[in-house]
Amino acid sequence: MEDYNNTVVESVVSDKYFKELEVAVKAVQMACLLCQRIQQTLLSKTNDHVQSKDDNSPVTIADWSVQGIVSWVLSEALGSDFVSIVAEEDVQELSKVGAFGLLEAIVKTVNECLAEAPRFGLRAPVMALSTSEVLEAIDRCNSIGGSSGRFWVLDPVDGTLGFLRGDQYAIALALIEDGEPVLGVLGCPNYPVKKECLSYHNGYRRIISRLTSLSSESWDRGCVVYASKDCGNAWMQPLLHKEKKFIWPNSARQIKVSTVDNPALATFCEPVEKANSSHSFTAGVAHSVGLRNQPLRIHSMVKYAAIARGDAEVFMKFARAGYKEKIWDHAAGVVIVQEAGGVVTDAGGRPLCFSKGMYLEGLDRGIIACAGARLHEKIVKAVDASWNSSSL
Ligand SMILES: Nc1ncnc2c1ncn2[C@@H]1O[C@H](COP(=O)(O)OS(=O)(=O)O)[C@@H](OP(=O)(O)O)[C@H]1O
Ligand SMILES: [Mg+2]
Ligand SMILES: [Mg+2]
Ligand SMILES: [Mg+2]
């Protein structure tokens, strides 16, 4: 384990948001273990614990359970009067008559996960939470955000489609203060810590999930990346292993963006689904700046983790006209990429705006995250040059 050292201890201990960061990382670590278990169950048998939302997007037992445990852990550790959360899921579906089995499964999952809190140095509930307490924890995430004060932003499972496919997904938690993201934590349960464990499909590039090669002693599956604003550092920690105790903040190591600034050597990443971002538009932009590598298509905010770790140099997302990006799909990733040395803006080169409620209001066309300013400038210019002839 020579890669890991304790420089992180001094750096994190002096952090202004020390307490919040510690609790957030622990909550996300717990959520990652919960998701790994559920993903294995969902993949190994047909299961009716997957629902379709009004926009036809999927939501699973894991989305609600993670929202419940993160909400409960933050409130317990920081005081419920001080915790306000904007999150993706609501309890409407769970309150329907036919949802009893699903709700029962969520309550069981939440309690199993919270019972492990002492391994993370957190308090577990004195008694297992009742159904109404679990619903209350999920429902408490009803903040509407805004431009003043503090609120947390949670995407309990980002890339639910990737989660259901046994592929990449993330648990994303950020703290926003006076409209600016100040902490970002991304749990990436299928994203190997070690670069040598990354493998790619041919054709276009994908990170292969390693569900089949999980061994309790190998450090090759799953990590949490995190950063605190203006520290100039971003960190990565492996997920906690069976029976081990989580020692904060040991075993983290610093991550940095790639130093590659030659487009010919750079790799860009983008959403897997072309419904979420135009693959043809980004292919045109890539061609015009001289990006030659096949795109790396990854579900979820793991794309931001890939940029922060130096596994790719550019992330582009251009949703169809009319789609409004949500703050929980970007807040954590933005802090982490910036603190790892990267640049994140909209296509007009402006910072993303997290202060106007649940949407990234005023977003100019799409999102561009780059390892460095030179690449970023080239991509912004290329987007401008291609925009008018695109059908976006
Ligand atoms: N039409 C459309 N356009 C753009 N974005 C959309 C769209 N629909 C959904 N979403 C949001 O995309 C989130 C997943 O983004 P990804 O980049 O991971 O997409 S992909 O799965 O790789 O295609 C996904 O987050 P989760 O719902 O948490 O999975 C959505 O918030
Ligand atoms: Mg969703
Ligand atoms: Mg999401
Ligand atoms: Mg989600």
Side-chain angles (χ1 to χ4, degrees):
M1 288 297 114
E2 72 285 357
D3 279 347
Y4 300 97
N5 63 56
N6 284 344
T7 51
V8 66
V9 177
E10 292 99 59
S11 169
V12 170
V13 167
S14 64
D15 195 286
K16 179 179 168 198
Y17 301 100
F18 171 69
K19 176 75 180 158
E20 290 80 359
L21 184 59
E22 175 181 357
V23 174
V25 171
K26 288 176 172 179
V28 169
Q29 281 269 356
M30 287 171 67
C32 286
L33 299 188
L34 181 161
C35 286
Q36 283 186 331
R37 268 185 234 127
I38 301 279
Q39 194 183 43
Q40 255 156 347
T41 317
L42 285 177
L43 293 175
S44 62
K45 49 183 179 206
T46 47
N47 199 303
D48 59 358
H49 291 157
V50 181
Q51 307 273 312
S52 212
K53 297 205 275 191
D54 291 346
D55 62 358
N56 277 332
S57 66
V59 55
T60 74
I61 174 175
D63 301 62
W64 283 299
S65 302
V66 168
Q67 189 161 313
I69 69 125
V70 172
S71 165
W72 192 87
V73 167
L74 292 181
S75 294
E76 175 69 16
L78 304 171
S80 53
D81 288 347
F82 303 100
V83 172
S84 160
I85 309 175
V86 179
E88 182 181 355
E89 307 307 339
D90 60 44
V91 294
Q92 236 175 317
E93 200 63 38
L94 301 178
S95 312
K96 292 185 180 159
V97 181
F100 181 73
L102 174 62
L103 186 52
E104 217 175 22
I106 291 168
V107 173
K108 184 167 176 280
T109 306
V110 165
N111 279 311
E112 279 169 3
C113 179
L114 290 178
E116 291 195 279
R119 275 174 67 208
F120 294 83
L122 295 169
R123 272 224 307 269
V126 182
M127 275 166 50
L129 301 188
S130 64
T131 302
S132 59
E133 285 170 318
V134 171
L135 278 173
E136 206 264 320
I138 300 171
D139 198 29
R140 207 184 296 142
C141 304
N142 58 2
S143 164
I144 51 166
S147 59
S148 63
R150 275 186 179 196
F151 60 91
W152 294 86
V153 180
L154 171 66
D155 192 338
V157 177
D158 179 49
T160 304
L161 211 52
F163 176 76
L164 287 168
R165 289 175 180 168
D167 206 320
Q168 298 299 321
Y169 62 99
I171 291 111
L173 181 61
L175 178 64
I176 309 248
E177 191 164 61
D178 297 333
E180 295 265 341
V182 293
L183 282 185
V185 183
L186 272 182
C188 310
N190 279 339
Y191 195 27
V193 168
K194 290 183 181 170
K195 268 198 205 307
E196 56 270 31
C197 294
L198 293 175
S199 41
Y200 303 94
H201 283 286
N202 292 329
Y204 68 93
R205 291 146 62 104
R206 295 269 299 277
I207 296 166
I208 295 178
S209 100
R210 302 181 64 83
L211 285 181
T212 47
S213 61
L214 177 66
S215 102
S216 60
E217 286 313 309
S218 68
W219 286 61
D220 65 357
R221 192 179 144 216
C223 60
V224 174
V225 292
Y226 56 86
S228 174
K229 191 177 179 315
D230 294 335
C231 284
N233 294 312
W235 305 98
M236 172 170 65
Q237 263 181 326
L239 292 190
L240 189 65
H241 276 251
K242 280 191 190 122
E243 276 107 52
K244 293 227 165 98
K245 251 185 125 67
F246 185 80
I247 314 284
W248 167 259
N250 290 2
S251 83
R253 77 159 183 244
Q254 199 173 353
I255 50 171
K256 281 264 167 242
V257 293
S258 160
T259 52
V260 169
D261 65 356
N262 177 357
L265 303 175
T267 296
F268 82 92
C269 53
E270 64 180 348
V272 173
E273 295 298 303
K274 57 178 184 287
N276 287 5
S277 179
S278 170
H279 290 175
S280 55
F281 180 69
T282 54
V285 170
H287 180 75
S288 69
V289 291
L291 284 158
R292 298 214 192 98
N293 291 331
Q294 291 284 350
L296 178 58
R297 291 190 180 140
I298 317 177
H299 290 285
S300 84
M301 265 186 274
V302 169
K303 290 184 274 296
Y304 282 105
I307 301 293
R309 277 177 39 161
D311 296 336
E313 285 74 24
V314 178
F315 161 38
M316 294 187 263
K317 182 174 181 186
F318 289 90
R320 61 169 163 73
Y323 180 79
K324 290 174 87 175
E325 294 284 351
K326 325 278 194 329
I327 57 173
W328 54 73
D329 282 325
H330 302 281
V334 169
V335 190
I336 293 164
V337 166
Q338 286 173 342
E339 295 307 314
V343 183
V344 189
T345 68
D346 65 14
R350 280 186 294 273
L352 309 189
C353 171
F354 292 92
S355 63
K356 302 247 164 63
M358 65 184 266
Y359 297 109
L360 292 179
E361 295 292 353
L363 185 83
D364 183 354
R365 293 166 288 177
I367 288 158
I368 302 172
C370 290
R374 284 182 60 183
L375 264 179
H376 182 263
E377 196 183 329
K378 285 185 180 148
I379 302 283
V380 168
K381 281 189 180 148
V383 167
D384 267 343
S386 322
W387 187 257
N388 286 340
S389 57
S390 80
S391 51
L392 288 171

